Amino acid sequence: MRVIRKYANRRLYDTQQSRYVTLEDLRGLILEEEPFRVEDAKTREDLTRTILLSIIIEQEQADGDSEVFSNDLLQQLIRVYAMARPLPLARYLEQGTQLMLEQQKRLQDQWQQAMRNSPMELMREMAEDNMRFWKNTITKAQQKEDDDEGKQ
């Protein structure tokens, strides 16, 4: 597991690559499914969760069109924390998100498969096959003609 150290000056240092990294770099590691742990450089306290929340905040602020957490949802989450016995929300959210990602991947795969088997794709493939056939036929006819001329 890759270890990222957070220093007092708030800089993040990737011990594997021996370089400073940004939250965007860590986001890239997440997208590549590269496991990492963020720890305080002095105390070795695990700061991974705090950094992950920072990445989410940065994402939410980066593009208003792709907000995941509406104000209403954030308020509801705060209410869950205030409950005497909070709901087991983390496991539910993890499973729901995993299911959503799997369905999204399956949908993308099915769409790509459908596009490969669309009538337009079939027509394109047939046209390419016909072009290859006629090109080969013309080439062979020209070679035969050249051979016949060579014999005379």
Side-chain angles (χ1 to χ4, degrees):
M1 176 175 296
R2 188 177 290 203
V3 175
I4 309 294
R5 295 221 171 95
K6 183 175 183 210
Y7 287 92
N9 62 4
R10 295 184 171 184
R11 293 189 75 184
L12 300 166
Y13 186 79
D14 184 337
T15 59
Q16 182 176 324
Q17 292 186 339
S18 301
R19 70 179 186 94
Y20 287 101
V21 294
T22 63
L23 291 179
E24 185 62 29
D25 294 326
L26 296 182
R27 180 180 173 273
L29 292 177
I30 293 165
L31 295 176
E32 294 168 6
E33 298 183 21
E34 173 84 25
F36 65 87
R37 178 181 192 273
V38 180
E39 62 184 35
D40 183 277
K42 191 181 275 187
T43 66
R44 301 293 191 250
E45 175 189 358
D46 186 359
L47 303 175
T48 307
R49 189 168 181 277
T50 303
I51 294 300
L52 293 174
L53 288 167
S54 296
I55 292 170
I56 289 172
I57 290 169
E58 194 172 90
Q59 284 292 130
E60 285 286 312
Q61 293 174 343
D63 185 8
D65 294 337
S66 63
E67 289 179 352
V68 173
F69 296 101
S70 67
N71 289 342
D72 288 340
L73 177 59
L74 290 170
Q75 290 171 8
Q76 290 170 6
L77 289 172
I78 291 168
R79 288 184 194 107
V80 167
Y81 282 102
M83 297 173 83
R85 281 191 75 203
L87 301 170
L89 192 58
R91 186 151 193 244
Y92 174 76
L93 288 174
E94 286 171 7
Q95 290 174 344
T97 304
Q98 184 62 38
L99 177 64
M100 182 189 68
L101 291 171
E102 288 170 6
Q103 288 175 339
Q104 176 77 15
K105 173 86 170 96
R106 199 172 318 125
L107 237 159
Q108 286 174 342
D109 292 344
Q110 288 173 349
W111 179 253
Q112 288 175 350
Q113 185 67 25
M115 290 307 292
R116 271 185 248 134
N117 297 327
S118 72
M120 290 304 291
E121 181 66 18
L122 183 60
M123 293 295 286
R124 185 188 66 76
E125 288 174 8
M126 286 173 55
E128 286 177 358
D129 289 344
N130 286 338
M131 289 296 289
R132 276 192 293 275
F133 170 78
W134 287 111
K135 186 177 180 180
N136 289 339
T137 302
I138 291 169
T139 302
K140 287 177 185 175
Q142 285 175 341
Q143 286 174 348
K144 186 173 189 304
E145 218 176 273
D146 292 343
D147 290 344
D148 290 344
E149 283 178 15
K151 291 179 185 175
Q152 293 177 356

